[in-house]
Amino acid sequence: DAGVIQSPRHEVTEMGQEVTLRCKPISGHNSLFWYRQTMMRGLELLIYFNNNVPIDDSGMPEDRFSAKMPNASFSTLKIQPSEPRDSAVYFCASSQLAGGPSSYNEQFFGPGTRLTVL
Amino acid sequence: AQTVTQSQPEMSVQEAETVTLSCTYDTSESDYYLFWYKQPPSRQMILVIRQEAYKQQNATENRFSVNFQKAAKSFSLKISDSQLGDAAMYFCAYRKRGNKLVFGAGTILRVKS
């Protein structure tokens, strides 16, 4: 099993440019999560999808951020226009949809994308 | 809203000794799950151990064990026989039924040889 795949692993861009981060979840998983990690704010959930439908996007910082999941095997997180304060590590995670009380539904994390906005 | 608090920004332990990382959480739910994740310098998030709130027995995974005190809303991680490879950032996380994980701020663990 390849695990959660994220691309690119590193991205350096200039302020004002559009940035697209990509994620391929584990096959068979039907929940997908986008997190952002910074020194100041720690790990924050940005948005998550169940069965390709956005469930909670309350963590998305502002309109410059958007996420899509066109099918069960692919998701994107887009920042347009990017700003220096968006510099962070962005993680994608996937899990099986939460079931009954005996189900852990562990989230498996990808390796992250380190974004630097100059 | 649920919150997770890790009051120790940084801890140190001598190799082969035992260390305990603290975590408290706030929730009004009775059915939930608790996790400890490890993040080494590679940045990869690795699940270390997990606990279902309705289980009274503390979870154990080899050298890792938890002390789950439901009434006190406390979920500490004990690492026995610490190894150099245990050096990492450790995150405590909470999830109620549903999928949203709430993370603590993390504790950096340093292991001295």
Side-chain angles (χ1 to χ4, degrees), chain A residues 30-49:
Chain A
N30 44 18
S31 291
L32 184 139
F33 308 81
W34 283 101
Y35 293 90
R36 178 172 68 175
Q37 185 177 31
T38 61
M39 289 292 292
M40 292 296 294
R41 301 175 68 90
L43 265 167
E44 304 173 275
L45 176 67
L46 299 178
I47 185 172
Y48 79 93
F49 298 82

Side-chain angles (χ1 to χ4, degrees), chain B residues 41-111:
Chain B
S42 67
R43 296 199 314 259
Q44 183 70 48
M45 293 287 286
I46 303 164
L47 181 66
V48 174
I49 199 166
R50 54 200 179 193
Q51 174 84 38
E52 293 164 308
Y54 71 87
K55 287 188 175 179
Q56 293 186 344
Q57 186 174 5
N58 289 326
T60 299
E61 289 286 342
N62 300 315
R63 297 183 295 106
F64 298 86
S65 61
V66 299
N67 183 5
F68 173 47
Q69 302 289 327
K70 190 172 184 178
K73 298 180 183 175
S74 170
F75 183 61
S76 61
L77 174 69
K78 186 172 80 171
I79 307 174
S80 304
D81 186 25
S82 297
Q83 300 175 0
L84 294 176
D86 295 333
M89 175 82 90
Y90 286 81
F91 292 96
C92 179
Y94 161 98
R95 180 175 73 78
K96 66 175 183 180
R97 287 188 65 179
N99 270 335
K100 187 172 179 175
L101 269 177
V102 177
F103 285 91
T107 296
I108 297 172
L109 178 66
R110 304 191 191 282
V111 181

Side-chain angles (χ1 to χ4, degrees), chain A residues 8-15 17 19 82 113-118:
Chain A
R9 294 292 306 276
H10 303 273
E11 177 79 24
V12 180
T13 191
E14 292 188 347
M15 183 173 62
Q17 296 298 306
V19 175
S82 58
T113 294
R114 180 177 291 278
L115 173 65
T116 302
V117 183
L118 303 174

Side-chain angles (χ1 to χ4, degrees), chain A residues 7-29:
Chain A
S7 64
R9 294 292 306 276
H10 303 273
E11 177 79 24
V12 180
T13 191
E14 292 188 347
M15 183 173 62
Q17 296 298 306
E18 177 180 296
V19 175
T20 299
L21 310 182
R22 297 173 175 80
C23 176
K24 176 178 170 55
I26 292 172
S27 178
H29 284 184

Side-chain angles (χ1 to χ4, degrees), chain A residues 94-116:
Chain A
S94 72
S95 75
Q96 294 182 331
L97 192 61
S102 63
S103 174
Y104 284 110
N105 301 111
E106 175 187 347
Q107 290 187 19
F108 293 83
F109 283 75
T113 294
R114 180 177 291 278
L115 173 65
T116 302

